[in-house]
PDB file of all heavy atoms in Angstrom:
ATOM      1  N   ALA L 239       7.083  32.501 -17.114  1.00 98.00           N
ATOM      2  CA  ALA L 239       8.055  33.561 -16.851  1.00 98.00           C
ATOM      3  C   ALA L 239       9.425  32.982 -16.516  1.00 98.00           C
ATOM      4  O   ALA L 239      10.462  33.525 -16.945  1.00 98.00           O
ATOM      5  CB  ALA L 239       7.559  34.445 -15.711  1.00 98.00           C
ATOM      6  N   LEU L 240       9.456  31.906 -15.751  1.00 98.00           N
ATOM      7  CA  LEU L 240      10.728  31.270 -15.421  1.00 98.00           C
ATOM      8  C   LEU L 240      11.406  30.731 -16.677  1.00 98.00           C
ATOM      9  O   LEU L 240      12.628  30.871 -16.862  1.00 98.00           O
ATOM     10  CB  LEU L 240      10.510  30.143 -14.414  1.00 98.00           C
ATOM     11  CG  LEU L 240      10.205  30.571 -12.978  1.00 98.00           C
ATOM     12  CD1 LEU L 240       9.674  29.393 -12.170  1.00 98.00           C
ATOM     13  CD2 LEU L 240      11.464  31.130 -12.316  1.00 98.00           C
ATOM     14  N   LEU L 241      10.628  30.113 -17.547  1.00 98.00           N
ATOM     15  CA  LEU L 241      11.195  29.585 -18.788  1.00 98.00           C
ATOM     16  C   LEU L 241      11.656  30.712 -19.707  1.00 98.00           C
ATOM     17  O   LEU L 241      12.685  30.596 -20.394  1.00 98.00           O
ATOM     18  CB  LEU L 241      10.172  28.706 -19.494  1.00 98.00           C
ATOM     19  CG  LEU L 241       9.959  27.324 -18.856  1.00 98.00           C
ATOM     20  CD1 LEU L 241       8.732  26.643 -19.444  1.00 98.00           C
ATOM     21  CD2 LEU L 241      11.196  26.452 -19.044  1.00 98.00           C
ATOM     22  N   ALA L 242      10.918  31.816 -19.729  1.00 98.00           N
ATOM     23  CA  ALA L 242      11.296  32.945 -20.587  1.00 98.00           C
ATOM     24  C   ALA L 242      12.587  33.591 -20.107  1.00 98.00           C
ATOM     25  O   ALA L 242      13.449  33.974 -20.921  1.00 98.00           O
ATOM     26  CB  ALA L 242      10.170  33.976 -20.620  1.00 98.00           C
ATOM     27  N   SER L 243      12.758  33.727 -18.801  1.00 98.00           N
ATOM     28  CA  SER L 243      13.970  34.368 -18.264  1.00 98.00           C
ATOM     29  C   SER L 243      15.145  33.401 -18.211  1.00 98.00           C
ATOM     30  O   SER L 243      16.294  33.810 -18.378  1.00 98.00           O
ATOM     31  CB  SER L 243      13.705  34.913 -16.859  1.00 98.00           C
ATOM     32  OG  SER L 243      13.579  33.864 -15.915  1.00 98.00           O
ATOM     33  N   GLY L 244      14.845  32.135 -17.956  1.00 98.00           N
ATOM     34  CA  GLY L 244      15.904  31.146 -17.822  1.00 98.00           C
ATOM     35  C   GLY L 244      16.718  31.313 -16.551  1.00 98.00           C
ATOM     36  O   GLY L 244      17.796  30.725 -16.429  1.00 98.00           O
ATOM     37  N   ARG L 245      16.198  32.067 -15.590  1.00 98.00           N
ATOM     38  CA  ARG L 245      16.950  32.368 -14.377  1.00 98.00           C
ATOM     39  C   ARG L 245      16.082  32.219 -13.132  1.00 98.00           C
ATOM     40  O   ARG L 245      14.855  32.319 -13.204  1.00 98.00           O
ATOM     41  CB  ARG L 245      17.516  33.791 -14.435  1.00 98.00           C
ATOM     42  CG  ARG L 245      18.539  33.996 -15.536  1.00 98.00           C
ATOM     43  CD  ARG L 245      19.096  35.406 -15.570  1.00 98.00           C
ATOM     44  NE  ARG L 245      20.117  35.533 -16.598  1.00 98.00           N
ATOM     45  CZ  ARG L 245      21.397  35.219 -16.432  1.00 98.00           C
ATOM     46  NH1 ARG L 245      21.802  34.814 -15.231  1.00 98.00           N
ATOM     47  NH2 ARG L 245      22.260  35.332 -17.414  1.00 98.00           N
ATOM     48  N   HIS L 246      16.764  32.005 -12.016  1.00 98.00           N
ATOM     49  CA  HIS L 246      16.062  32.028 -10.736  1.00 98.00           C
ATOM     50  C   HIS L 246      15.541  33.439 -10.491  1.00 98.00           C
ATOM     51  O   HIS L 246      16.206  34.421 -10.818  1.00 98.00           O
ATOM     52  CB  HIS L 246      17.010  31.639  -9.601  1.00 98.00           C
ATOM     53  CG  HIS L 246      17.353  30.184  -9.549  1.00 98.00           C
ATOM     54  ND1 HIS L 246      16.630  29.279  -8.803  1.00 98.00           N
ATOM     55  CD2 HIS L 246      18.340  29.476 -10.161  1.00 98.00           C
ATOM     56  CE1 HIS L 246      17.167  28.075  -8.944  1.00 98.00           C
ATOM     57  NE2 HIS L 246      18.194  28.164  -9.762  1.00 98.00           N
ATOM     58  N   PRO L 247      14.354  33.574  -9.905  1.00 97.00           N
ATOM     59  CA  PRO L 247      13.806  34.914  -9.661  1.00 97.00           C
ATOM     60  C   PRO L 247      14.620  35.671  -8.620  1.00 97.00           C
ATOM     61  O   PRO L 247      15.341  35.074  -7.804  1.00 97.00           O
ATOM     62  CB  PRO L 247      12.390  34.630  -9.158  1.00 97.00           C
ATOM     63  CG  PRO L 247      12.464  33.244  -8.601  1.00 97.00           C
ATOM     64  CD  PRO L 247      13.453  32.507  -9.456  1.00 97.00           C
ATOM     65  N   GLU L 248      14.501  36.987  -8.644  1.00 95.00           N
ATOM     66  CA  GLU L 248      15.122  37.861  -7.668  1.00 95.00           C
ATOM     67  C   GLU L 248      14.031  38.542  -6.847  1.00 95.00           C
ATOM     68  O   GLU L 248      12.889  38.637  -7.290  1.00 95.00           O
ATOM     69  CB  GLU L 248      15.985  38.916  -8.367  1.00 95.00           C
ATOM     70  CG  GLU L 248      17.112  38.325  -9.189  1.00 95.00           C
ATOM     71  CD  GLU L 248      17.970  39.388  -9.852  1.00 95.00           C
ATOM     72  OE1 GLU L 248      18.784  40.006  -9.140  1.00 95.00           O
ATOM     73  OE2 GLU L 248      17.806  39.601 -11.064  1.00 95.00           O
ATOM     74  N   PRO L 249      14.359  39.007  -5.643  1.00 92.00           N
ATOM     75  CA  PRO L 249      13.350  39.715  -4.842  1.00 92.00           C
ATOM     76  C   PRO L 249      12.762  40.882  -5.623  1.00 92.00           C
ATOM     77  O   PRO L 249      13.480  41.631  -6.284  1.00 92.00           O
ATOM     78  CB  PRO L 249      14.144  40.194  -3.627  1.00 92.00           C
ATOM     79  CG  PRO L 249      15.275  39.215  -3.514  1.00 92.00           C
ATOM     80  CD  PRO L 249      15.643  38.864  -4.924  1.00 92.00           C
ATOM     81  N   SER L 250      11.450  41.033  -5.531  1.00 82.00           N
ATOM     82  CA  SER L 250      10.768  42.051  -6.323  1.00 82.00           C
ATOM     83  C   SER L 250      10.876  43.442  -5.720  1.00 82.00           C
ATOM     84  O   SER L 250      10.726  44.438  -6.422  1.00 82.00           O
ATOM     85  CB  SER L 250       9.282  41.685  -6.468  1.00 82.00           C
ATOM     86  OG  SER L 250       8.630  41.765  -5.201  1.00 82.00           O
ATOM     87  N   GLY L 251      11.092  43.515  -4.414  1.00 79.00           N
ATOM     88  CA  GLY L 251      11.071  44.805  -3.741  1.00 79.00           C
ATOM     89  C   GLY L 251       9.674  45.259  -3.381  1.00 79.00           C
ATOM     90  O   GLY L 251       9.497  46.259  -2.677  1.00 79.00           O
ATOM     91  N   GLU L 252       8.659  44.536  -3.837  1.00 75.00           N
ATOM     92  CA  GLU L 252       7.268  44.880  -3.543  1.00 75.00           C
ATOM     93  C   GLU L 252       6.763  44.193  -2.276  1.00 75.00           C
ATOM     94  O   GLU L 252       5.673  44.505  -1.798  1.00 75.00           O
ATOM     95  CB  GLU L 252       6.380  44.457  -4.722  1.00 75.00           C
ATOM     96  CG  GLU L 252       6.763  45.107  -6.046  1.00 75.00           C
ATOM     97  CD  GLU L 252       6.010  44.522  -7.216  1.00 75.00           C
ATOM     98  OE1 GLU L 252       5.233  43.559  -6.989  1.00 75.00           O
ATOM     99  OE2 GLU L 252       6.176  45.003  -8.342  1.00 75.00           O
ATOM    100  N   TRP L 253       7.530  43.283  -1.739  1.00 74.00           N
ATOM    101  CA  TRP L 253       7.098  42.455  -0.627  1.00 74.00           C
ATOM    102  C   TRP L 253       8.346  42.042   0.138  1.00 74.00           C
ATOM    103  O   TRP L 253       9.396  41.829  -0.470  1.00 74.00           O
ATOM    104  CB  TRP L 253       6.388  41.216  -1.180  1.00 74.00           C
ATOM    105  CG  TRP L 253       5.730  40.326  -0.178  1.00 74.00           C
ATOM    106  CD1 TRP L 253       6.211  39.143   0.312  1.00 74.00           C
ATOM    107  CD2 TRP L 253       4.483  40.538   0.472  1.00 74.00           C
ATOM    108  NE1 TRP L 253       5.333  38.605   1.210  1.00 74.00           N
ATOM    109  CE2 TRP L 253       4.257  39.440   1.329  1.00 74.00           C
ATOM    110  CE3 TRP L 253       3.512  41.543   0.416  1.00 74.00           C
ATOM    111  CZ2 TRP L 253       3.112  39.323   2.124  1.00 74.00           C
ATOM    112  CZ3 TRP L 253       2.381  41.424   1.213  1.00 74.00           C
ATOM    113  CH2 TRP L 253       2.186  40.316   2.042  1.00 74.00           C
ATOM    114  N   PRO L 254       8.305  41.945   1.474  1.00 78.00           N
ATOM    115  CA  PRO L 254       9.487  41.498   2.217  1.00 78.00           C
ATOM    116  C   PRO L 254      10.016  40.185   1.649  1.00 78.00           C
ATOM    117  O   PRO L 254       9.262  39.223   1.481  1.00 78.00           O
ATOM    118  CB  PRO L 254       8.971  41.334   3.651  1.00 78.00           C
ATOM    119  CG  PRO L 254       7.820  42.290   3.733  1.00 78.00           C
ATOM    120  CD  PRO L 254       7.168  42.262   2.382  1.00 78.00           C
ATOM    121  N   ALA L 255      11.295  40.142   1.356  1.00 89.00           N
ATOM    122  CA  ALA L 255      11.855  38.987   0.651  1.00 89.00           C
ATOM    123  C   ALA L 255      12.086  37.787   1.559  1.00 89.00           C
ATOM    124  O   ALA L 255      12.120  36.641   1.095  1.00 89.00           O
ATOM    125  CB  ALA L 255      13.171  39.385  -0.022  1.00 89.00           C
ATOM    126  N   ILE L 256      12.264  38.039   2.867  1.00 88.00           N
ATOM    127  CA  ILE L 256      12.589  36.982   3.805  1.00 88.00           C
ATOM    128  C   ILE L 256      11.478  36.868   4.849  1.00 88.00           C
ATOM    129  O   ILE L 256      11.053  37.882   5.403  1.00 88.00           O
ATOM    130  CB  ILE L 256      13.952  37.245   4.479  1.00 88.00           C
ATOM    131  CG1 ILE L 256      15.068  37.211   3.429  1.00 88.00           C
ATOM    132  CG2 ILE L 256      14.237  36.224   5.574  1.00 88.00           C
ATOM    133  CD1 ILE L 256      16.431  37.575   3.958  1.00 88.00           C
ATOM    134  N   PRO L 257      10.977  35.664   5.127  1.00 84.00           N
ATOM    135  CA  PRO L 257       9.897  35.521   6.110  1.00 84.00           C
ATOM    136  C   PRO L 257      10.376  35.835   7.514  1.00 84.00           C
ATOM    137  O   PRO L 257      11.580  35.740   7.815  1.00 84.00           O
ATOM    138  CB  PRO L 257       9.491  34.049   5.976  1.00 84.00           C
ATOM    139  CG  PRO L 257      10.709  33.367   5.441  1.00 84.00           C
ATOM    140  CD  PRO L 257      11.391  34.353   4.546  1.00 84.00           C
TER     141      PRO L 257
END
Side-chain angles (χ1 to χ4, degrees):
L240 286 166
L241 285 168
S243 71
R245 295 180 177 275
H246 286 268
E248 299 181 76
S250 67
E252 301 172 357
W253 187 259
I256 296 175

